[in-house]
């Protein structure tokens, strides 16, 4: 899924807007256990693609760290690929974290979809990253080890007779003393086979748990037709069928149960779950050759978070996928660094600036403490795609696989301090009003071609918050396909 970008990119880049650190949710002090050299409290980290940071300086890392920390994120998983310049960016990230104090943690997430892993020397290169940062004050330590993860790696042998022996003998067992790793890779394997890797990893990261990846168009069509409905005209029963896939925790339970069935080898087996707001990637066969969506409708991001909070006892860490993967449209951080030729569907589609990133603080706090923070301010979040699902365009890359799943709906989340009436509008003539209680409500209504997105919270006949972002029109005639989300937020 990951990929490297060309070397020698021009240093042309912009970093996201000014750093602002609002704190509209009541401050919640996290109870950390008494000081120790290990972290066993729950952490929320975000996946940071170092491959997209070619032009970064220490100061860019410092901005990202400040922004993430201010929104309930405890650390970054640094996704590294083979480019030789990436080790210097990793060093800068650790320097920036150290400058910010001891609380923000980093760890390496080896991107085994692009790193070589057939020889013992390939493993030595990975170990070098671990030993370089093992004693750094901002290295995430977990259960007495140096926390390390991956994207993939289920085919790596490092010259050994099996994958299990490759990771065990060339990576895990060669790292001792202060360099001992606590290894939580995301192997794309059947969890029932974890028991073949008793000594190869300590836990697992369930990368694909962030999206309902089993929900393809054909699965949806077959499920919906047996309920007498379809993706083109969904009944309420049909909506409930689709919603059943959104943020589902059955894949988490399967991982947790299979990790529990492994011998602990003296250390509990950590389960790291994923949460992600969206997925759309649009590369032609001549470039990265990936052009598909996962269903991000039905309020995927807040729903997945709510479900993770509900099973928090089984989830040791949560990883947000991602901070800055522009190419797959699931970034919650600023648009900055060097994009992997994703400008066509990313520029103008800022997901942070207190949008999905801001919502993150609320859920991350609930996940870590077990209680949702008090809502002290009325807020609206709106998001939608820029063009109709069925739009046709001269874009030679074509529509993304599974685009049929996407509904032409405006998605809204409101945080309300007391009961209110919320009106959503998608044109001057199309609106819906919802009566909501105090708390978080997830709402939606059909988009209107040529229309906009608007939301307002009314209480006792008066508007208390209203949001109508500029720069958004829902069109049926896009110049190219873009199934990314435009996200807006208003206090
Ligand atoms: C760090 O943690 C390990 C594993 O729990 C323990 O054996 C070791 O004594 C600890 N070291 C310090 C300095 O606390
Ligand atoms: C190993 O860790 C201990 C405890 O944190 C520390 O005192 C010691 O300096 C470390 N050893 C090395 C070689 O860095
Ligand atoms: C791993 O441990 C489980 C539980 O003890 C055991 O059933 C299984 O045979 C072990 N696997 C290997 C490959 O040793
Ligand atoms: C989208 O296309 C499908 C398949 O041709 C069609 O059934 C559906 O009615 C269209 N939806 C809209 C909103 O035009
Ligand atoms: C959509 O389904 C409803 C029943 O759920 C039906 O009344 C309506 O005619 C259908 N609309 C179209 C365009 O097929
Ligand atoms: C809602 O739509 C109706 C027409 O359907 C219109 O008269 C009214 O002004 C709209 N209200 C809002 C708040 O846009
Ligand atoms: C919502 O609107 C209804 C109908 O106008 C009104 O009776 C009710 O008081 C409103 N609720 C609030 C909280 O303002």
């Amino acid at each position: 899924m990951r990929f490297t970008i060309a070397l020698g990119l021009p240093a042309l880049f912009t970093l996201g807007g000014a750093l602002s650190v609002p704190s509209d949710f009541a401050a919640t002090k996290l109870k950390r256990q008494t000081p120790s050299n290990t972290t066993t409290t729950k952490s929320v980290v975000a996946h940071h693609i170092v491959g997209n940071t070619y032009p970064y300086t220490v100061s860019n890392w410092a901005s990202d760290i400040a922004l993430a920390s201010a929104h309930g994120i405890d650390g970054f998983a640094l996704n590294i690929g083979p480019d030789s310049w990436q080790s210097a960016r990793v060093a800068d990230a650790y320097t920036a974290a150290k400058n910010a104090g001891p609380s923000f943690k980093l760890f390496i997430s080896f991107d085994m979809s692009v790193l070589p892993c057939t020889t013992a020397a390939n493993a030595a290169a990975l170990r070098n990253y671990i030993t370089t940062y093992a004693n750094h004050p901002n290295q995430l330590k977990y259960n007495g080890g140096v926390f390390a993860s991956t994207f993939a790696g289920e085919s790596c042998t490092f010259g050994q007779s099996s994958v299990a022996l490759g990771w065990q003998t060339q990576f895990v067992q060669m790292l001792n003393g202060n360099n001992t790793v606590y290894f939580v890779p995301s192997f794309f394997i059947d969890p029932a086979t974890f028991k073949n890797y008793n000594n190869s990893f300590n836990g697992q990261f369930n990368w694909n748990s962030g999206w309902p990846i089993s929900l393809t168009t054909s699965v949806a069509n077959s499920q919906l037709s047996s309920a007498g409905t379809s993706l083109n005209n969904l009944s309420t029963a049909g909506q409930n069928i689709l919603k059943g896939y959104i943020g589902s925790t059955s894949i988490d339970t399967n991982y947790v149960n299979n990790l529990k069935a492994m011998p602990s080898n003296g250390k509990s087996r950590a389960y790291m779950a994923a949460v992600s707001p969206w997925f759309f990637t649009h590369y032609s066969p001549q470039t990265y050759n990936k052009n598909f969506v996962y269903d991000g409708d039905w309020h995927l991001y807040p729903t997945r978070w709510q479900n993770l909070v509900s099973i928090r006892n089984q989830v040791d860490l949560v990883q947000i996928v991602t901070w800055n993967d522009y190419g797959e449209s699931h970034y919650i951080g600023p648009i900055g660094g060097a994009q992997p030729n994703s400008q066509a569907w990313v520029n103008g589609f800022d997901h942070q600036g207190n949008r999905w990133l801001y919502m993150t603080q609320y859920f991350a706090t609930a996940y870590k403490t077990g209680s949702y923070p008090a809502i002290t301010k009325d807020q609206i979040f709106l998001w939608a795609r820029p063009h109709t699902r069925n739009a046709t365009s001269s874009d030679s890359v074509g529509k993304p696989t599974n685009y049929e799943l996407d509904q032409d709906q405006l998605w809204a989340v409101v945080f309300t301090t007391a009961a209110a009436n919320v009106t959503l509008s998608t044109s001057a003539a199309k609106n819906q009003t919802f009566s909501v209680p105090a708390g978080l409500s997830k709402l939606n209504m059909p988009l209107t071609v040529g229309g906009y997105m608007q939301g307002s919270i009314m209480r006792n006949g008066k508007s208390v918050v209203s949001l109508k972002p500029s720069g958004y029109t829902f069109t049926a005639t896009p110049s190219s396909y873009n199934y990314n989300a435009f996200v807006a937020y208003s206090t």
Side-chain angles (χ1 to χ4, degrees):
M1 289 236 193
R2 303 277 75 68
F3 37 75
T4 55
I5 54 172
L7 287 169
L9 283 172
L12 279 177
F13 65 101
T14 53
L15 282 162
L19 181 63
S20 68
V21 178
S23 183
D24 297 327
F25 294 118
T28 308
K29 282 240 154 46
L30 301 183
K31 284 205 182 74
R32 291 273 163 186
Q33 280 156 8
T34 44
S36 88
N37 68 357
T38 71
T39 302
T40 46
T41 47
K42 295 184 187 301
S43 297
V44 174
V45 299
H47 197 79
H48 201 303
I49 308 278
V50 178
N52 288 348
T53 66
Y54 180 74
Y56 261 40
T57 62
V58 171
S59 126
N60 299 135
W61 284 108
S63 297
D64 280 0
I65 288 167
L67 195 57
S69 307
H71 292 89
I73 297 171
D74 304 301
F76 286 144
L78 298 174
N79 173 293
I80 57 158
D83 308 296
S84 58
W85 55 265
Q86 291 197 25
S87 61
R89 297 305 169 281
V90 170
D92 287 349
Y94 275 90
T95 298
K98 188 175 182 182
N99 292 345
S103 61
F104 198 82
K105 301 301 186 189
L106 302 174
F107 62 90
I108 304 293
S109 177
F110 298 106
D111 194 329
M112 303 316 302
S113 69
V114 289
L115 286 165
C117 58
T118 53
T119 69
N122 295 153
L126 307 189
R127 295 198 308 271
N128 188 43
Y129 267 105
I130 302 299
T131 56
T132 301
Y133 297 105
N135 291 308
H136 191 286
N138 297 86
Q139 169 63 48
L140 180 65
K141 301 276 181 58
Y142 193 93
N143 235 320
V146 177
F147 197 86
S149 187
T150 66
F151 176 81
E154 68 282 351
S155 306
C156 295
T157 56
F158 302 109
Q160 304 300 301
S161 58
S162 71
V163 170
L165 283 174
W167 284 106
Q168 176 183 333
T169 66
Q170 300 304 302
F171 186 68
V172 173
Q173 288 177 351
M174 283 204 184
L175 292 162
N176 298 301
N178 285 10
N179 296 323
T180 301
V181 281
Y182 189 88
F183 186 43
V184 183
S186 72
F187 286 175
F188 295 96
I189 54 177
D190 178 352
T193 67
F194 288 171
K195 61 179 183 299
N196 298 332
Y197 301 83
N198 289 343
N199 301 308
S200 312
F201 57 70
N202 301 97
Q204 275 289 321
F205 171 36
N206 192 349
W207 175 274
N208 276 337
S209 63
W211 311 276
I213 65 160
S214 64
L215 183 62
T216 59
T217 300
S218 68
V219 165
N221 283 342
S222 100
Q223 297 268 312
L224 294 171
S225 74
S226 51
T229 180
S230 83
L231 284 166
N232 299 317
N233 185 20
L234 269 178
S235 64
T236 303
Q239 290 185 21
N240 289 335
I241 288 170
L242 297 183
K243 286 181 190 173
Y245 284 85
I246 302 300
S248 166
T249 57
S250 57
I251 183 174
D252 301 293
T253 311
N254 190 20
Y255 268 60
V256 168
N257 290 343
N258 281 291
L259 285 169
K260 273 192 194 140
M262 298 172 75
S264 71
N265 292 353
K267 289 176 181 174
S268 63
R269 301 274 178 182
Y271 173 62
M272 179 155 62
V275 58
S276 185
W278 205 254
F279 195 112
F280 163 60
T281 186
H282 192 54
Y283 290 103
S284 73
Q286 290 74 40
T287 61
Y288 299 116
N289 192 24
K290 45 179 208 174
N291 183 30
F292 61 97
V293 302
Y294 293 139
D295 194 354
D297 284 352
W298 314 105
H299 309 95
L300 172 66
Y301 192 58
T303 301
R304 173 69 177 156
W305 264 121
Q306 287 173 320
N307 289 347
L308 287 177
V309 171
S310 75
I311 59 159
R312 62 186 287 281
N313 289 343
Q314 298 174 57
V315 179
D316 301 297
L317 301 101
V318 170
Q319 187 168 152
I320 299 166
V321 178
T322 58
W323 181 260
N324 66 339
D325 191 340
Y326 312 111
E328 294 179 356
S329 308
H330 44 57
Y331 49 96
I332 63 161
I335 299 170
Q339 287 189 46
N341 293 322
S342 49
Q343 287 82 350
W345 60 93
V346 168
N347 288 1
F349 288 71
D350 188 355
H351 291 170
Q352 62 100 36
N354 311 326
R355 296 167 181 134
W356 278 333
L357 178 60
Y358 189 76
M359 209 186 283
T360 300
Q361 182 184 20
Y362 177 76
F363 294 112
T365 301
Y367 165 70
K368 286 184 276 186
T369 65
S371 339
Y372 283 97
I375 291 170
T376 57
K377 202 164 181 175
D378 293 298
Q379 297 157 79
I380 304 176
F381 298 81
L382 300 174
W383 65 95
R385 287 177 295 99
H387 64 74
T388 55
R389 175 188 73 177
N390 280 358
T392 51
S393 136
S394 57
D395 183 342
S396 61
V397 182
K399 291 186 174 77
T401 300
N402 290 326
Y403 80 94
E404 297 92 339
L405 292 166
D406 284 345
Q407 297 294 310
D408 290 341
Q409 293 276 321
L410 169 62
W411 306 105
V413 163
V414 293
F415 289 97
T416 41
T417 58
N421 289 316
V422 176
T423 300
L424 299 181
S425 313
T426 57
S427 77
K430 299 277 184 190
N431 54 67
Q432 280 183 30
T433 298
F434 307 83
S435 164
V436 302
L440 180 153
S441 301
K442 297 182 285 190
L443 310 170
N444 57 287
M445 73 166 283
L447 289 159
T448 305
V449 171
Y452 46 76
M453 58 169 74
Q454 184 173 17
S456 60
I457 300 176
M458 311 276 293
R459 195 171 290 118
N460 306 322
K462 281 201 283 196
S463 170
V464 290
V465 182
S466 187
L467 169 65
K468 185 183 177 190
S470 58
Y472 178 81
T473 305
F474 187 62
T475 181
T477 52
S479 56
S480 61
Y481 294 120
N482 188 352
Y483 290 75
N484 193 356
F486 181 99
V487 190
Y489 164 74
S490 173
T491 54

